[in-house]
Amino acid sequence: MQNNVRIMLITLMGVFVGGLLLTGCGKKQVAAPKAGPPEVGVVVIQPQRVALTTELPGRTSPHLIAEVRPQVNGIIQKRVFTEGSDVKAGQVLYQIDPATYQATYASAKAALAKSEASLASVRLKAGRYKELVKIKAVSQQDYDDAYAALKQGEADVASSKAALETARINLAYTKVTAPISGRIGRSAVTDGALVTANQATALATIQQLSSMYVDVTQSSAELLRLKQSLASGLLKSNAATQARVKLMMEDGSAYPLPGSLKFSEVTVDQSTGSVTLRAIFPNPKQALLPGMFVRAILEEGINENAILVPQRGVSRNQKGEATVMVVGAEEKVEPRVIKVARTVGENWLVSDGLKAGDRVILEGLQKARPGTPVKAIPFGSTPAATPAGATQPAAAKK
């Protein structure tokens, strides 16, 4: 009985396996699709017109600045301005005690009157002796003495006038006035302070803030490169107008008003190897203050046929040379060594190694091996995808 059961189980298993084999033979194997060349995103190089700029650090300084110092000795009687206010040229700032200078002026005025009175007398005497000497009524010597006395009197009058003018000037200097218009800072002295003529310490400082200078430094090597580019015609500049300058503030914001480049220093700083450039900016709202750190953007010139390559497509080889991958002949990847001059925004400015029409690989660089065939598509375009939910066709049964 047990033997019969075993025989039946073996027979059923054989029938089941045979059915599976027949079912498998009823379907065809679908062949895997053949993979094509990998797709890479490329950008086609086209020369373009680019305005080249240079960003340089610098500091602001006032257009005009004057340190107020006394020109006579004395005691400050009164300060007659408000610290931090705007003052006009000629406005009185300090009053020095004028008593001694007033007395000196009065004395000089009296001395002049005395000299003029004496001169009138000797002039009349010289005039009489001039007529008398003609008729031999007086000797020639008497006439010469009278004429010398006349010249002496005239010299005394001139000297007295000069002394009076000096006394008047010194008296006027007791009123310390503003040499320029602008904003005045804090006062270094108070009422009752003793000041001396042309002292080292300034009483106050006036700065004109309606326009501001920005002094920046540029390396002499960069300046030479710029001059060579202009001389060769690679860059073009408008010589009829001054170079325009833009300004970036300390917080990174842009200053709204453009400035102009005034001049560059004629000597190179031996310690830094740099040249100082000075630009001037209008400052109507006085947003720029002296001593601020800023960054000036100078317009160097125009490159009419600039070759630009996005920075993401440029790498460095073992020698440190800049390289790009291009799609060359037969749609194969070729490495290309290039020379980059500078950055322009997010691009490199290429001076050698690329030409118009070259296709530089920007996307899919991990698949772009030198010498391998690739399929070039425009950078940023989405490759065609298999529609979602697509099914393979049903296999034919045997």
Side-chain angles (χ1 to χ4, degrees):
M1 183 69 179
Q2 292 179 352
N3 291 335
N4 294 334
V5 172
R6 290 177 180 175
I7 293 172
M8 291 178 64
L9 290 174
I10 293 172
T11 303
L12 291 174
M13 291 180 64
V15 173
F16 178 73
V17 171
L20 290 176
L21 292 175
L22 290 175
T23 304
C25 293
K27 292 185 178 180
K28 294 182 179 179
Q29 294 291 337
V30 179
K34 184 178 180 181
E39 293 182 343
V40 292
V42 301
V43 61
V44 180
I45 299 299
Q46 294 294 341
Q48 53 189 294
R49 186 177 187 270
V50 175
L52 299 181
T53 60
T54 297
E55 186 173 330
L56 301 173
R59 289 197 178 274
T60 58
S61 59
H63 183 222
L64 289 178
I65 182 171
E67 293 182 336
V68 180
R69 287 185 173 85
Q71 299 188 58
V72 292
N73 305 331
I75 302 294
I76 297 292
Q77 283 187 333
K78 188 177 182 182
R79 172 172 62 85
V80 290
F81 70 90
T82 302
E83 293 176 320
S85 63
D86 292 328
V87 296
K88 299 293 185 181
Q91 179 179 332
V92 178
L93 305 177
Y94 297 92
Q95 176 63 61
I96 298 175
D97 185 4
T100 57
Y101 299 99
Q102 185 68 52
T104 302
Y105 177 76
S107 176
K109 190 174 182 180
L112 175 60
K114 182 179 179 181
S115 299
E116 290 176 340
S118 299
L119 177 61
S121 176
V122 297
R123 180 178 286 117
L124 292 174
K125 184 177 180 179
R128 288 194 300 267
Y129 275 33
K130 183 178 182 180
E131 298 299 328
L132 294 174
V133 75
K134 293 179 181 179
I135 60 175
K136 305 297 184 179
V138 295
S139 65
Q140 184 66 37
Q141 183 62 47
D142 291 337
Y143 171 71
D144 291 343
D145 292 342
Y147 184 76
L150 172 62
K151 293 301 181 182
Q152 180 68 41
E154 291 176 345
D156 290 342
V157 169
S159 177
S160 297
K161 287 182 178 179
L164 178 63
E165 181 64 16
T166 300
R168 186 195 64 79
I169 292 173
N170 288 335
L171 179 60
Y173 280 159
T174 60
K175 295 182 183 295
V176 182
T177 59
I180 62 173
S181 298
R183 178 162 294 182
I184 193 167
R186 63 183 179 86
S187 175
V189 296
T190 60
D191 297 353
L194 174 64
V195 295
T196 58
N198 304 315
Q199 63 184 30
T201 303
L203 303 181
T205 301
I206 302 174
Q207 301 179 94
Q208 193 174 98
L209 305 180
S210 58
S211 297
M212 294 291 289
Y213 284 130
V214 174
D215 295 328
V216 297
T217 55
Q218 184 181 40
S219 68
S220 56
E222 287 294 321
L223 190 61
L224 288 174
R225 180 191 59 78
L226 174 60
K227 290 182 177 180
Q228 291 172 358
S229 298
L230 291 172
S232 64
L234 178 62
L235 291 181
K236 297 181 180 180
S237 64
N238 187 1
T241 59
Q242 294 176 320
R244 289 168 57 88
V245 186
K246 297 179 181 179
L247 206 61
M248 300 296 293
M249 305 292 282
E250 288 180 294
D251 60 356
S253 61
Y255 185 67
L257 301 177
S260 60
L261 186 65
K262 298 299 290 184
F263 81 100
S264 62
E265 189 58 79
V266 296
T267 57
V268 178
D269 189 329
Q270 296 182 4
S271 60
T272 62
S274 60
V275 179
T276 299
L277 309 177
R278 168 165 282 187
I280 187 170
F281 285 82
N283 190 29
K285 297 183 178 179
Q286 299 185 356
L288 299 176
L289 298 176
M292 291 179 66
F293 177 80
V294 293
R295 301 192 68 84
I297 303 175
L298 281 69
E299 293 184 359
E300 292 185 355
I302 304 296
N303 190 334
E304 297 290 349
N305 296 290
I307 301 275
L308 298 180
V309 176
Q311 295 183 20
R312 64 178 295 170
V314 181
S315 60
R316 297 280 176 175
N317 59 19
Q318 295 180 350
K319 297 181 180 179
E321 299 170 324
T323 60
V324 294
M325 293 295 182
V326 300
V327 179
E330 300 179 359
E331 299 298 308
K332 292 183 178 182
V333 178
E334 298 178 1
R336 186 81 59 84
V337 177
I338 62 174
K339 291 182 179 180
V340 292
R342 58 188 298 174
T343 59
V344 179
E346 297 181 351
N347 302 314
W348 282 108
L349 176 62
V350 179
S351 59
D352 190 24
L354 289 175
K355 63 182 183 300
D358 285 342
R359 294 175 293 174
V360 177
I361 300 174
L362 300 184
E363 194 173 35
L365 287 171
Q366 67 277 7
K367 298 177 290 186
R369 302 298 178 186
T372 59
V374 293
K375 180 181 179 182
I377 62 174
F379 172 67
S381 63
T382 303
T386 303
T391 58
Q392 298 292 342
K397 295 183 179 180
K398 286 185 178 179

